[in-house]
Amino acid sequence: VDGQQAAKISATDRGLSYGDGVFRTMRMVAGRVQNWHLHYAKLADDCARLALICPDKTLFEQDIAQFSEHHAGVIKLMVTRGDGLRGYAPPVISTPTRISMISALPNVDPVHLSAGISARWCQLRLAHQPRLAGIKHLNRLENVLARAEWQDAAIAEGLLLDVADNVIGGTMSNLFIVKQGVLFTPDLALCGIAGVTRARVLAYTTRLNWHVSITQLSMNDVLAADEVMVVNSVIGIWQIHTLDDKKWAAGLVTPLLRAYLEGDND
Amino acid sequence: VDGQQAAKISATDRGLSYGDGVFRTMRMVAGRVQNWHLHYAKLADDCARLALICPDKTLFEQDIAQFSEHHAGVIKLMVTRGDGLRGYAPPVISTPTRISMISALPNVDPVHLSAGISARWCQLRLAHQPRLAGIKHLNRLENVLARAEWQDAAIAEGLLLDVADNVIGGTMSNLFIVKQGVLFTPDLALCGIAGVTRARVLAYTTRLNWHVSITQLSMNDVLAADEVMVVNSVIGIWQIHTLDDKKWAAGLVTPLLRAYLEGDND
């Protein structure tokens, strides 16, 4: 917390009071955060969207250096608007709180990387809030409620629709589908989180001259797809092999994108 | 924090990570929290909506007893889903975090209680999320962004519309309007916070056999009203005397409701 070894933060921090902050979750491999520059750029963008002061990159790099004894893990960074008096008004002069933490990499079932995962549709519908859409902010009750809809450990992810019945992504991931040679991913102008791995897939496939479309997708678009995938910075990419009653055979695109995503293209 | 004198909470608390919790803000006068039973009932309801375990009433009462040396103040209570591993899924067994804090009563301009306040319309539009509507949860970035729209200390409150251009309330208050002998307040089924003071006004005026309507209100309904008021548990009730270009003379209903609200009707 703010460069000090600490397990606690102020009980009056606006991150707790209002979720007034942003975060990042990244993969550390061989003592190095994958795609760190992309992650910091996204953190800084998200801070700017909320008029938060983003701590200097070097401060986070010093925090992360303290974790280098760990070979691998998940690094989570948070920036909040800092301590505040009661009241929603952001302080005229605020000192952000910077939190950096490490935890173990999740154990991933090897089947998730070969055949893929089982997924389900969530009941919860994401609200439209263009002022917050795309930002990885600390107001995540929709994700919590959606993820609480199932306990079956065999279901690795739930897919979310918005109030207009557009598919937006997974509870913790962004979604891609392939159909007739075109790669599609949901437009996130009204809700959802625009993750770094999504951006990497879009940049890479555009460079390969694929036909790529950021658009509105319906449940039927997903069900009619040739291949359906979810991505995030910790899991990389998983194909969905089962979605309720629908099943897909292992596709070609997922392993291709995985090979790219496993690299570090900063 | 959990009954201990502490200024800090765990940096891995889900209240910070996801805003996974609820809160209450109440007025303490003469060492006693006004309408405590109503506030606890609302806290318990809000916890139930999020499947949070609400700590026993007696635990909060013990916390509040420790503040009794203060004659008066604002008491804030928070309940979060407690410490959590990374990931949106609520832990199967969670131990809620209970936070009770006191701060000074805000200095209120006496004019706010006589002539009333100046208010403005906010640009931000509240999203529709029926799963969260009404709950005083910790995901309050919409309120923060709306309150950040003005710094002019002469403006005491901002009024919020939703994505469908219905008036929902103030950034920190619920709204009532009087028109041709009928008391109206916005329907909060899709967004907004249904506060305890709003419920007290509704209960009281219904008991008085007033014509009371919980309904959709437009900006024009507010501008055409005979009297416009905002309420919350800390400020009580303020009439709006100026809303951008529109002005109202001091009305009859505000002082009547204030006289009632100043009591404690638990």
Side-chain angles (χ1 to χ4, degrees):
Chain A
V1 177
D2 292 331
Q4 306 299 311
Q5 294 261 358
K8 292 185 174 247
I9 67 140
S10 167
T12 52
D13 193 279
R14 292 175 60 96
L16 173 66
S17 305
Y18 307 130
D20 194 2
V22 298
F23 71 113
R24 291 275 91 217
T25 311
M26 309 168 298
R27 200 177 168 94
M28 186 166 81
V29 175
R32 208 167 160 278
V33 173
Q34 290 182 320
N35 300 291
W36 162 240
H37 300 298
L38 295 175
H39 279 287
Y40 183 80
K42 170 66 176 159
L43 187 75
D45 280 354
D46 283 355
C47 283
R49 290 274 306 276
L50 299 180
L52 280 169
I53 298 164
C54 189
D56 277 351
K57 197 172 187 177
T58 52
L59 292 173
F60 284 114
E61 288 170 350
Q62 288 164 22
D63 294 347
I64 293 166
Q66 294 190 34
F67 299 137
S68 62
E69 68 198 68
H70 301 267
H71 178 73
V74 175
I75 305 276
K76 180 168 175 175
L77 307 181
M78 278 190 259
V79 178
T80 80
R81 209 179 304 269
D83 231 33
L85 294 172
R86 228 175 34 74
Y88 294 123
V92 178
I93 299 167
S94 66
T95 307
T97 302
R98 177 179 101 250
I99 302 168
S100 306
M101 49 179 89
I102 187 165
S103 58
L105 284 175
N107 289 320
V108 171
D109 184 337
V111 171
H112 290 181
L113 302 176
S114 50
I117 64 163
S118 290
R120 70 192 296 282
W121 293 104
C122 293
Q123 296 284 317
L124 180 132
R125 292 289 178 270
L126 293 168
H128 285 175
Q129 180 45 273
R131 291 287 303 279
L132 297 175
I135 305 174
K136 197 166 172 112
H137 54 66
L138 298 175
N139 278 199
R140 301 259 69 99
L141 271 172
E142 290 186 321
N143 304 67
V144 170
L145 292 176
R147 184 57 189 80
E149 289 183 20
W150 81 97
Q151 279 81 41
D152 180 356
I155 308 284
E157 180 60 305
L159 299 186
L160 283 158
L161 300 147
D162 68 7
V163 288
D165 287 335
N166 295 309
V167 181
I168 299 301
T171 64
M172 58 163 188
S173 60
N174 287 122
L175 179 86
F176 285 90
I177 69 172
V178 177
K179 179 142 195 225
Q180 296 176 334
V182 181
L183 183 73
F184 297 90
T185 196
D187 179 34
L188 303 180
L190 296 177
C191 51
I193 302 174
V196 161
T197 306
R198 174 178 181 270
R200 291 178 68 209
V201 169
L202 290 173
Y204 178 60
T205 53
T206 302
R207 213 153 64 228
L208 294 179
N209 288 316
W210 286 21
H211 295 285
V212 177
S213 173
I214 301 172
T215 187
Q216 295 187 339
L217 294 176
S218 69
M219 236 166 138
N220 283 336
D221 289 331
V222 172
L223 293 171
D226 301 321
E227 195 168 342
V228 181
M229 299 142 275
V230 291
V231 304
N232 79 27
S233 297
V234 175
I235 65 171
I237 184 166
W238 288 341
Q239 185 181 346
I240 295 179
H241 69 58
T242 304
L243 180 58
D244 294 338
D245 295 336
K246 169 77 185 176
K247 293 190 187 300
W248 287 271
L252 303 177
V253 173
T254 302
L256 190 154
L257 290 177
R258 180 175 297 123
Y260 173 73
L261 291 173
E262 282 172 354
D264 185 333
N265 52 311
D266 258 356
Chain B
V1 177
D2 293 331
Q4 306 299 310
Q5 294 260 359
K8 293 186 175 250
I9 66 142
S10 167
T12 52
D13 194 279
R14 292 175 60 98
L16 174 67
S17 305
Y18 308 129
D20 193 2
V22 298
F23 72 113
R24 291 275 89 218
T25 310
M26 309 168 299
R27 200 177 168 93
M28 186 167 81
V29 176
R32 204 165 163 283
V33 173
Q34 291 182 319
N35 300 292
W36 163 239
H37 300 299
L38 295 175
H39 279 286
Y40 182 80
K42 169 68 176 159
L43 187 75
D45 279 354
D46 284 355
C47 282
R49 290 273 307 275
L50 298 180
L52 279 169
I53 298 163
C54 189
D56 276 352
K57 198 171 187 178
T58 52
L59 292 173
F60 284 115
E61 288 170 351
Q62 289 163 22
D63 294 348
I64 293 166
Q66 295 189 32
F67 299 139
S68 62
E69 68 198 70
H70 302 268
H71 178 73
V74 176
I75 305 276
K76 180 168 175 175
L77 308 180
M78 277 191 258
V79 178
T80 79
R81 208 179 305 269
D83 231 33
L85 293 172
R86 227 175 34 74
Y88 294 122
V92 178
I93 299 167
S94 66
T95 308
T97 302
R98 174 178 103 250
I99 302 169
S100 306
M101 49 178 90
I102 186 165
S103 58
L105 284 174
N107 289 320
V108 170
D109 185 338
V111 172
H112 289 181
L113 301 177
S114 50
I117 63 162
S118 291
R120 71 193 295 284
W121 293 104
C122 292
Q123 298 283 317
L124 180 132
R125 292 290 179 271
L126 294 168
H128 285 175
Q129 180 45 273
R131 290 288 303 278
L132 297 175
I135 305 173
K136 197 166 172 110
H137 54 67
L138 297 174
N139 278 200
R140 300 261 68 101
L141 271 172
E142 289 186 322
N143 304 67
V144 170
L145 292 176
R147 184 59 190 79
E149 289 183 21
W150 81 97
Q151 280 80 42
D152 180 356
I155 309 284
E157 181 58 306
L159 298 187
L160 284 158
L161 300 146
D162 68 6
V163 289
D165 287 336
N166 295 310
V167 181
I168 300 301
T171 64
M172 58 164 188
S173 59
N174 287 121
L175 180 85
F176 285 90
I177 69 172
V178 177
K179 180 143 194 225
Q180 296 176 335
V182 180
L183 183 73
F184 297 90
T185 196
D187 179 34
L188 304 180
L190 295 178
C191 51
I193 301 175
V196 161
T197 306
R198 173 178 181 271
R200 291 179 67 209
V201 169
L202 290 173
Y204 178 59
T205 52
T206 302
R207 214 153 62 225
L208 294 179
N209 287 317
W210 286 20
H211 296 284
V212 178
S213 173
I214 300 171
T215 186
Q216 294 187 338
L217 294 176
S218 70
M219 236 166 138
N220 283 336
D221 289 330
V222 172
L223 293 171
D226 301 321
E227 196 169 342
V228 180
M229 300 141 275
V230 291
V231 304
N232 78 27
S233 298
V234 175
I235 65 172
I237 183 166
W238 288 340
Q239 186 182 347
I240 294 179
H241 68 60
T242 304
L243 180 58
D244 294 336
D245 296 337
K246 169 76 184 176
K247 293 190 188 298
W248 287 270
L252 304 176
V253 173
T254 302
L256 190 154
L257 290 178
R258 181 176 296 123
Y260 173 73
L261 291 174
E262 281 171 354
D264 186 332
N265 52 310
D266 257 356

